Amino acid sequence: MITETENSSVIRSLLMEWVVHPDQSSDPGQEPIGYIRPSKRLRIIEGSGAIFALVVVPSLLILLPGVRSDHLLALIGSTALIESGAPVVGVALGLPPAVVLVLVCSVALGLILLIYTLLDTLDAESPRVSHLLVWVRQRYTRSKTLQTYGIYGLVPGMVILGVWICPPIAWLVGWERRRAVLLMMIGFTIAAAGTLAVATGLVRILPAYLSW
């Protein structure tokens, strides 16, 4: 009978792999220096998730009545450029607020997963990147405070730094991936929802104010 702990270990072994420092000698008495790298299987899963979020979800939203494909494409491009500020564009295009929020969050998630996939692939193919990860993570683990609480900085970080900066930072220091993605999406959703609320309010208030 396989216990839950054993089952988790099996799943982890299928999705992650231990990478030894490229320059480490084969001395059996030497403590191994390295880090955990997502396996090719996990990279495929994350890449598929990115495609689903960036392609499939927008394609489904196009099927909704009153939603134009060119407006969705404009909002996708705006999300990639101005990130959590993109709901302003969606509201200006006349898209329903719910559609705007779902689309920008889906695009943000897709970009995060895509960045992780590309960085993991670069790590797997480049010894220089492996050197860099070992160097950074050895120094990161020296700070217990940063190691324990640093990941929570991703929530405000998504508001300040955005989608193109936070995932590489989280990847570089090796924060637990599922929790990092969750925290980044929480930060992005809060920022996007706030922007959407302000933009929707202005659209409702400005016509009445100007007519007055």
Side-chain angles (χ1 to χ4, degrees):
M1 180 177 179
I2 300 178
T3 64
E4 183 178 352
T5 302
E6 292 172 341
N7 191 36
S8 299
S9 300
V10 171
I11 294 175
R12 190 179 300 110
S13 65
L14 292 174
L15 300 179
M16 310 297 288
E17 58 187 17
W18 175 258
V19 181
V20 177
H21 191 288
D23 288 342
Q24 187 174 8
S25 66
S26 57
D27 184 0
Q30 184 179 5
E31 183 179 354
I33 300 174
Y35 60 96
I36 297 176
R37 172 197 293 164
S39 68
K40 184 177 181 180
R41 182 180 287 103
L42 181 56
R43 296 200 300 272
I44 293 174
I45 293 174
E46 289 182 337
S48 300
I51 293 174
F52 181 85
L54 292 171
V55 178
V56 177
V57 172
S59 299
L60 294 175
L61 292 176
I62 292 176
L63 301 177
L64 296 176
V67 177
R68 292 172 45 179
S69 58
D70 56 336
H71 287 174
L72 287 184
L73 289 175
L75 184 54
I76 291 173
S78 300
T79 305
L81 292 174
I82 58 177
E83 303 180 10
S84 59
V88 174
V89 177
V91 172
L93 292 172
L95 291 170
V99 172
V100 172
L101 186 60
V102 169
L103 184 63
V104 297
C105 288
S106 180
V107 172
L109 176 60
L111 290 175
I112 290 172
L113 295 177
L114 182 61
I115 290 170
Y116 268 118
T117 304
L118 293 176
L119 291 174
D120 288 335
T121 303
L122 183 63
D123 171 30
E125 300 296 331
S126 174
R128 290 185 178 181
V129 176
S130 299
H131 277 280
L132 176 63
L133 288 179
V134 171
W135 184 83
V136 170
R137 292 179 184 180
Q138 278 185 317
R139 282 152 183 77
Y140 161 71
T141 53
R142 293 176 184 175
S143 173
K144 297 300 181 182
T145 301
L146 183 61
Q147 190 176 3
T148 304
Y149 302 106
I151 190 171
Y152 297 104
L154 291 173
V155 175
M158 285 296 286
V159 180
I160 301 170
L161 301 176
V163 173
W164 297 105
I165 302 298
C166 287
I169 292 176
W171 174 82
L172 191 62
V173 299
W175 282 321
E176 198 273 319
R177 185 154 304 188
R178 286 182 296 179
R179 190 154 56 121
V181 171
L182 175 62
L183 291 172
M184 283 187 280
M185 285 307 301
I186 289 174
F188 182 89
T189 302
I190 292 173
T195 304
L196 179 62
V198 172
T200 304
L202 289 176
V203 168
R204 292 175 179 174
I205 293 173
L206 282 179
Y209 177 79
L210 294 176
S211 62
W212 181 80

